[in-house]
Structures are given as C-alpha cells and as structure tokens.
Amino acid sequence: MTVRVLHPGMLTTIQDLGRYGYQKYGVIVSGAMDHYSFRAANFLVGNKENEGALEITLLGTSLLFERDMVIAITGGDLLAVIDDKKALTWRPILVKKGSILQFKSPLKGCRAYVAFAGGIAVPDVMGSKSTYLRAGIGGLKGRALQKEDIIEVNETDEFNRLLFHKLDESGSDMNWSVNYNNLINLQQTQTIRVIRGTEFDRFDEKSKKSLFNEPFKVTTQADRMGYHMEGPILSLTEEFQLLSEGVTHGTIQVPPSGHPIILMADRQTTGGYPKIGQIISADLPSMAQLQPTATIHFKEVSHEEAENELVKKERILEEIKAGFRYKILN
C-alpha cells in the first residue's frame, strides 16, 4: 500500500506525538505541532492516537494514491482537493486508487494532518516516528518529504477493514464528522492563555502590563522551533545572569532585544533567556495554526484554570474517539 509524493509542498514531514525520554541527552521532543488535530486524524481512521501521520504546512503538497485507502484530513483548512473536488475534512474518507490529493492554499490555519488507516510504515527512532529535521533522524530518512518519495502504509487491522467496507458501501463518505471548533481555533486573531513564567517578577511593571494588554504579531521568523513575535518591548528591571535550564513547548522567552520568542514543537532542550510566561497546553494546538502576521492577545490565567481547560479538551477527544467507534461497530 503506497502513496507517491508528486510535490512536497512548503514543508511536509512525518510526525507522531513526540520523542520522549531523551531530552537529558540533548534530543528534542519534536512531534505534531497541533496534537489535537493530529490525534483526531488517527482516531478517524481507526489508528492508535500516536501512529505516524503527515503534517502539512500551508500549501503545495500533492499526493498520488496507488491503492484504495481510508484517510482523514484534519487541522487547518488548506483547501484540500481530491481530483480537483474539495475534499471532506474532519471525517474518514475513502480515496480511490489513482486519485490525487492536493493542498492548494491556506484558507484557515497553518497546518493540516493526513492520517492513513494502518499508519505510516517507517521505523521508530528512539521510540518515535517524528522527524527531527536538524538532526536528520526519524520520519522518512530524517528529512522533509521530497518529490517522488514513496510513503509506505502498514497493513490494516480488523477495525480499519470494517471502516473501509462501511465507506465503500456508503460511497466513500459516512456523513459523520467532527466539530473541531471546541478543540482548536483557526482564526488569525486569537486570545492565547498564559500562566506566569519563572522570571515574570524580574520584568518591569510596564512590560508585565504590556504582555496582557497589548497585541503581539507573529513574524515571518516562525517555524516548528519557535515563533518570533513583534510588539511592545519587554524589559527586565535589571540585568541578571541566568543559567540555562529546561524549557518546554509554549515557553515564552525574552532575549535582550525585548521581543518574545514562543518555543514550539522542535524547541531546544534548555534555554538561558528569562521566561516571562508559559502558554497553557490546551491553547498550544491553536497557537500552531497561526500564520505569520497573525495577531495574539495574551490572557493571564491561573494554574487551576489551565488544568481545567486541559481536562475539558481531553474529554472532548475521548468523546470523539468513543462516538466514532460506536458509529463503526453498530
């Protein structure tokens, strides 16, 4: 079962939920930028949530299917078309042999995910299929997809095959989809929730107020490693020496320029810039869907609010998974 890459697009990589347990050796986590959309895509084809899938950035990716296959497309609306007809998203679909899937233009959001029933057949590297581009490991030969690459897909299990037959009988679509609005925000002006960082109190009062009262813009220096932001200059009350220490997905660091940098999926393992804030886990997938020039308003929340929002999103994902399996099995 294979898929041929006709055009790799701006950046298309194989990801899963990340490479954990190796940061102490300097190996970054990587993984899907928008893990809610990623997990939903796998649920919708009957895979385990951590199975390898494609992460597609902005536009240009074109894939030729060399066999009938069940897929799901989630995440941002990048104007996905199959044989020049708009593709159905956030639901399982049956793609016929010889069909071409293309992503033409980012209408909403920045990243889309394509999961294949059975999952992508690439070897695990340190327990993960995620592509770590700078080290050249994971995914397909440790790099982004290239023209004429072949994506091998694993053999399907009993549930995958049942899904295939239901789609085949119904004409490729079961008329069952996910309402993603409760999971991610695809708007390009967003309120992103933040808890205070470990060095928050070392910033002057003007900077503290600016963080939560003035807008910031995502610059063109925005990739899987981090988003450089434009907006009010954030300043410390006095200079101080900070030893490098662990950082995580969503850490807001402030370098000497005063322009914050938001660390994303391919972040480094440690950092030495002061940390003014930390984006809550529940908002990181929405953050991943922001394009350059997007506007962010940061809102301070408590740890308790952050935890409650994370639990809420996890319940939504569990409901999606349970509802989908019930639909297929009954």
Side-chain angles (χ1 to χ4, degrees):
M1 299 174 68
T2 59
V3 177
R4 184 180 301 273
V5 179
L6 300 181
H7 195 289
M10 184 171 288
L11 176 67
T12 301
T13 58
I14 296 169
Q15 300 293 339
D16 57 19
L17 291 178
R19 185 171 285 107
Y20 289 91
Y22 297 93
Q23 290 188 84
K24 60 186 175 183
Y25 305 116
V27 179
I28 66 174
V29 174
S30 296
M33 289 274 281
D34 172 359
H35 59 88
Y36 289 154
S37 295
F38 173 89
R39 292 163 68 187
N42 270 321
F43 290 156
L44 291 171
V45 295
N47 292 343
K48 294 179 180 178
E49 67 177 54
N50 195 34
E51 187 53 72
L54 297 184
E55 179 179 88
I56 293 162
T57 306
L58 289 174
L59 79 169
T61 305
S62 181
L63 307 172
L64 171 65
F65 288 77
E66 298 184 336
R67 183 170 174 178
D68 292 357
M69 201 173 298
V70 176
I71 71 168
I73 305 166
T74 62
D77 183 354
L78 308 188
L79 188 54
V81 298
I82 297 175
D83 297 334
D84 292 324
K85 294 182 180 179
K86 189 161 175 44
L88 297 171
T89 58
W90 289 89
R91 65 180 73 191
I93 55 175
L94 176 59
V95 181
K96 294 293 187 176
K97 178 181 178 180
S99 292
I100 295 175
L101 168 62
Q102 296 174 283
F103 292 84
K104 294 198 167 186
S105 177
L107 302 181
K108 290 183 180 179
C110 184
R111 292 173 173 85
Y113 294 86
V114 181
F116 307 89
I120 298 175
V122 292
D124 285 1
V125 177
M126 287 180 274
S128 172
K129 294 180 179 179
S130 281
T131 308
Y132 175 7
L133 292 169
R134 286 175 172 81
I137 63 173
L140 187 63
K141 302 178 183 178
R143 57 168 172 75
L145 297 190
Q146 298 176 2
K147 185 176 180 179
E148 295 302 322
D149 276 343
I150 298 296
I151 303 168
E152 298 285 351
V153 178
N154 291 316
E155 290 297 321
T156 53
D157 62 18
E158 185 177 351
F159 184 85
N160 296 141
R161 290 191 289 274
L162 178 59
L163 172 58
F164 181 98
H165 290 306
K166 287 217 170 193
L167 286 167
D168 197 27
E169 291 171 357
S170 64
S172 302
D173 172 41
M174 298 188 309
N175 194 30
W176 189 94
S177 63
V178 171
N179 178 6
Y180 63 81
N181 292 306
N182 293 324
L183 278 176
I184 59 169
N185 185 347
L186 298 180
Q187 300 303 313
Q188 294 305 298
T189 297
Q190 290 194 30
T191 297
I192 298 291
R193 291 165 290 188
V194 173
I195 57 175
R196 295 186 179 190
T198 50
E199 284 78 50
F200 180 84
D201 289 332
R202 289 184 175 270
F203 287 84
D204 60 36
E205 289 303 315
K206 181 181 177 182
S207 297
K208 293 176 188 177
K209 290 178 181 177
S210 294
L211 181 66
F212 298 123
N213 290 284
E214 296 188 44
F216 291 80
K217 279 193 177 293
V218 180
T219 71
T220 54
Q221 288 182 278
D223 58 20
R224 284 182 46 85
M225 186 173 183
Y227 286 6
H228 290 245
M229 310 298 294
E230 282 184 351
I233 300 295
L234 304 180
S235 304
L236 298 164
T237 54
E238 60 182 10
E239 291 187 14
F240 75 103
Q241 294 295 319
L242 177 66
L243 294 176
S244 289
E245 57 187 18
V247 292
T248 189
H249 196 174
T251 296
I252 307 174
Q253 289 189 321
V254 182
S257 68
H259 292 295
I261 302 170
I262 301 171
L263 303 185
M264 300 301 285
D266 281 355
R267 64 203 175 271
Q268 69 273 25
T269 56
T270 62
Y273 294 138
K275 300 172 287 298
I276 195 170
Q278 174 68 41
I279 295 173
I280 70 171
S281 296
D283 282 0
L284 287 171
S286 296
M287 184 81 204
Q289 293 296 347
L290 292 172
Q291 303 171 13
T293 75
T295 299
I296 296 176
H297 299 271
F298 293 114
K299 177 184 178 182
E300 184 179 6
V301 296
S302 67
H303 284 82
E304 183 179 11
E305 288 174 294
E307 290 173 359
N308 289 341
E309 193 62 23
L310 183 61
V311 170
K312 175 182 171 183
K313 295 289 180 73
E314 290 298 323
R315 284 175 177 162
I316 292 170
L317 280 166
E318 285 302 312
E319 288 171 3
I320 291 170
K321 182 179 179 181
F324 175 67
R325 292 191 70 86
Y326 180 84
K327 172 79 173 177
I328 301 304
L329 294 173
N330 293 278

